[in-house]
Amino acid sequence: MRRNKNHYLRDSEGHMEAHSPARQFDSARFREVLGSYPTGVAIVTAMDEDGLPTGMVIGSFTSVSLDPPLIAYLPMKTSRTFARLRTSSTFCVNILAADQEPICQHFASAAEDKFAGLAWHPSPEGNPVLDGAVAWIDCDYASVTEAGDHYLVLGGVLDMRLERDTAPLLFFQRGYGRFSPGPLVAAAERETIEAVRLAEIGRDDMEAVAAELNAECSIVAAVGGDVVYVAVENRSPHWRLRSRLGFRVPCAPPLGTLFVGTPGAPTDTEWLKRLGRPDQETVDRSLAQLERVRSRGWSISLLGTDDADSLEEVVALYSNPHRTPAQERRLLAAAKERANLHEPEDLREDAAYDVLHLSVPVNSLSGEVPLVLRLGALPRGADLRQIRQWVQRLEQAAVSLERKIGARPDRLRA
Ligand SMILES: Cc1cc2nc3c(=O)[nH]c(=O)nc-3n(C[C@H](O)[C@H](O)[C@H](O)COP(=O)(O)O)c2cc1C
């Protein structure tokens, strides 16, 4: 493409207009280059002058200003739908969810009545809000400016609401997609399969521990920055937990301590960095926890007084491969809130503990910790002697598993 210098002329109404008489412009390249920038997908709706719902798919939606609150989008000048939208003094931007691609395609088609068979309800301004949308924003027209073959609509925000805690629909290179968290998801799939294979070797050991202790025994692995439950056996008569199989938590303080610093797992610094920029108190506490786990050789976390179900719920949301960054932050915040329940400093002989988890590492010859054996759903009010017995039983199982996966057979544990 030749580089042309554009000359912009201001028209009588103060609008800017591109004026380039002998331009040679490669519109295919324009589309290709601009199509390499992803956008969300919105449907802008209103009730037209005949009182009928109308709406058009918009990829050019953007936020503009906080004070005053303004948003913008760019409809084509030739759009008949936009002409109908403009017959109303307000409009509503519906941000589509990742599972609403069919609705988007229906609206972008030549279908006569776009709202036929579609569930919607009126916004405070009376504009259609599509059921299942992530969010909606009611606006009036702050301005409509000509911008080449499009209009630039500035909307003054009147009201807005988040409707659904889910990932939005994305548009990129003329295709639809969804946000996937973290850069490691694809690589993690292979790692997960490897960990599941390895865990399968330890199934008998895991099941034996669960049956003997009437508890939940599981095998977890560090995969792509997360700790994933790759095998679970629950024999507890007291705990009717939803199976944790496939659940994952971030390898971030205070979680995943047995993996941290081993080959293939996050380093101490990477582990801390997962919290963003933690305050000094959090850093000190996390490093002390890491130290305690390393000197004990096992990890313990206690049950808090908080609602265990709500923690399960946050973990379940995090475990969804299509989780949103907000859901990820919620889990990190919940883990931070419960940080003091992990790796308590003094375990006293005369105290009774409500144990959430006990974990021991399965070591490989090369110093990796490919798996961790974990015990949960234990009876409450355990004393230290009982806890030590549980740890010992877990360690026995870990040694057996180490032998089977070709680790040092004569490994002695403290
Ligand atoms: C993902 C996607 C994003 C779109 N974004 C815009 C946009 O920002 N502006 C626009 O004018 N049309 C956009 N369109 C096209 C319009 O939705 C639609 O084709 C147009 O309203 C049809 O013209 P009509 O209104 O004359 O029927 C988009 C379409 C799709 C599928």
Side-chain angles (χ1 to χ4, degrees), residues 117-138:
L118 199 69
W120 62 275
H121 54 279
S123 70
E125 290 295 320
N127 300 309
V129 171
L130 307 181
D131 288 9
V134 173
W136 55 262
I137 307 155
D138 255 345

Side-chain angles (χ1 to χ4, degrees), residues 4 14 33 64 68 76 111 118 158 163 203 213 226 229 245 251 264 308 312 326 332 368 375 377 396:
N4 281 317
V33 171
V64 174
M76 271 181 340
L118 199 69
L158 302 171
E163 290 276 327
R203 176 161 293 281
L213 303 180
D226 284 343
Y229 284 79
L245 190 64
C251 194
E312 285 276 302
L332 288 169
E368 288 161 14
L375 208 47
Q396 253 179 30

Side-chain angles (χ1 to χ4, degrees), residues 39-42 55-61 73-83 104-105 107-110 114 149-151 169-172 174-176:
T39 71
V41 183
M56 86 186 266
V57 183
I58 288 293
S60 56
F61 168 74
Y73 73 96
L74 294 113
M76 271 181 340
K77 275 183 180 167
T78 52
S79 166
R80 288 169 297 128
T81 314
F82 179 62
C104 171
Q105 281 176 341
F107 267 83
S109 74
K114 306 274 166 68
D149 51 12
H150 281 63
Y151 291 115
L169 182 63
L170 301 184
F171 191 67
F172 171 59
R174 283 180 284 133
Y176 296 95

Side-chain angles (χ1 to χ4, degrees), residues 7-19 77 86 142-148 150-154:
H7 304 281
Y8 292 93
L9 300 177
R10 204 171 276 275
D11 68 15
S12 54
E13 290 174 279
H15 301 143
M16 301 288 266
E17 212 173 74
H19 178 71
K77 275 183 180 167
R86 268 195 93 173
S143 68
V144 178
T145 318
E146 289 187 18
H150 281 63
Y151 291 115
L152 169 60
V153 175
L154 264 188

Side-chain angles (χ1 to χ4, degrees), residues 132 166 269 348 358 361:
T166 191
T269 320
R348 298 203 330 265
L358 290 174

Side-chain angles (χ1 to χ4, degrees), residues 87-289:
T87 62
S88 167
S89 60
T90 64
F91 62 88
C92 186
V93 181
N94 289 256
I95 296 173
L96 293 192
D99 58 8
Q100 289 186 304
E101 184 186 328
I103 293 180
C104 171
Q105 281 176 341
H106 176 62
F107 267 83
S109 74
E112 220 16 75
D113 181 3
K114 306 274 166 68
F115 283 82
L118 199 69
W120 62 275
H121 54 279
S123 70
E125 290 295 320
N127 300 309
V129 171
L130 307 181
D131 288 9
V134 173
W136 55 262
I137 307 155
D138 255 345
C139 303
D140 59 10
Y141 287 89
S143 68
V144 178
T145 318
E146 289 187 18
D149 51 12
H150 281 63
Y151 291 115
L152 169 60
V153 175
L154 264 188
V157 177
L158 302 171
D159 204 346
M160 64 203 314
R161 189 171 307 151
L162 268 175
E163 290 276 327
R164 237 180 116 192
D165 183 21
T166 191
L169 182 63
L170 301 184
F171 191 67
F172 171 59
Q173 291 179 343
R174 283 180 284 133
Y176 296 95
R178 68 198 305 168
F179 180 85
S180 41
L184 300 161
V185 172
E189 223 166 88
R190 188 174 30 82
E191 285 176 41
T192 309
I193 291 167
E194 274 166 29
V196 168
R197 281 206 185 120
L198 217 50
E200 207 43 43
I201 301 172
R203 176 161 293 281
D204 290 351
D205 296 298
M206 175 187 77
E207 286 178 354
V209 174
E212 207 177 300
L213 303 180
N214 291 321
E216 181 199 56
C217 189
S218 47
I219 300 180
V220 298
V223 172
D226 284 343
V227 175
V228 185
Y229 284 79
V230 287
V232 181
E233 176 71 8
N234 186 8
R235 294 287 187 90
S236 166
H238 315 295
W239 297 64
R240 286 276 147 255
L241 293 172
R242 185 155 38 140
S243 171
R244 288 213 176 86
L245 190 64
F247 268 28
R248 51 177 64 217
V249 294
C251 194
L255 310 170
T257 41
L258 284 168
F259 293 106
V260 179
T262 63
T267 63
D268 296 12
T269 320
E270 285 165 348
W271 182 66
L272 286 169
K273 262 204 184 147
R274 191 77 192 271
L275 294 181
R277 267 189 257 152
D279 52 66
Q280 195 56 44
E281 192 192 329
T282 307
V283 172
D284 293 344
R285 184 185 52 218
S286 305
L287 290 176
Q289 285 169 324

